[in-house]
Amino acid sequence: MNKIYANIERYFEKLTAHATKILGNSITFILALGLVIFWWTTGMFVSNDMHQNIGDFIFGTTFLSLFIIQKSFNRYSALVHLKMNELISSTDTANNSVMHTSEKTEYEIRALSKEYIDLEEMAETEDQAISEEFKNKKDNL
């Protein structure tokens, strides 16, 4: 059952990756804009109901906003990943397995996240031990 779920997750992640690329593409936005303009010109002024016309205008504008937001998110995400990859690759002690995390599956990301949670817990216990040692030295002075 877990294997079936893992396969479904992998295919769904591939589907969403392709969908975000398509929705963030400028050609897709131009096609959507053409569709909305066609929709507005053919149906907007046929109805005399002002509320219907306003609703159609708002719906079309919201539809176009989806493509604009996706494009800006794709750009922002790519820039953040590029900067993080540069920081990771320029540090000698960095774990290079976190590079290109946008291409990893959700399961792989969770596994890496668990490793960092474990590292954080170890660092906290070391910090507590150091602060207690410092406190003991301070009390002895």
Side-chain angles (χ1 to χ4, degrees):
M1 186 67 172
N2 287 338
K3 192 172 186 177
I4 294 171
Y5 178 74
N7 285 335
I8 291 171
E9 276 294 312
R10 190 175 322 115
Y11 289 124
F12 183 68
E13 287 175 5
K14 287 180 182 179
L15 176 70
T16 56
H18 290 302
T20 56
K21 287 178 184 176
I22 291 170
L23 290 175
N25 194 331
S26 58
I27 293 173
T28 308
F29 174 77
I30 292 169
L31 291 173
L33 180 63
L35 178 69
V36 168
I37 289 173
F38 174 75
W39 177 41
W40 283 343
T41 56
T42 57
M44 192 136 172
F45 300 110
V46 174
S47 173
N48 289 334
D49 185 16
M50 190 61 144
H51 295 294
Q52 173 99 25
N53 291 341
I54 292 171
D56 287 349
F57 181 77
I58 291 171
F59 183 74
T61 305
T62 305
F63 177 69
L64 291 175
S65 296
L66 165 88
F67 298 97
I68 294 169
I69 292 168
Q70 188 62 50
K71 175 70 172 182
S72 65
F73 176 76
N74 287 355
R75 184 176 186 278
Y76 174 77
S77 179
L79 288 172
V80 167
H81 286 289
L82 180 65
K83 290 175 183 178
M84 288 177 58
N85 288 341
E86 172 61 24
L87 289 172
I88 292 167
S89 66
S90 67
T91 306
D92 293 334
T93 59
N95 182 0
N96 289 335
S97 64
V98 296
M99 290 181 65
H100 304 292
T101 53
S102 62
E103 298 168 6
K104 295 188 183 300
T105 63
E106 187 175 349
Y107 179 77
E108 292 171 329
I109 293 171
R110 286 185 181 167
L112 281 171
S113 179
K114 182 167 177 8
E115 288 179 25
Y116 281 97
I117 290 171
D118 294 342
L119 283 173
E120 179 184 5
E121 289 172 356
M122 286 184 356
E124 285 178 1
T125 56
E126 287 177 9
D127 286 345
Q128 288 174 353
I130 290 171
S131 66
E132 287 179 20
E133 183 180 325
F134 179 73
K135 190 176 186 182
N136 289 337
K137 287 183 180 180
K138 185 178 174 185
D139 291 339
N140 290 336
L141 292 176

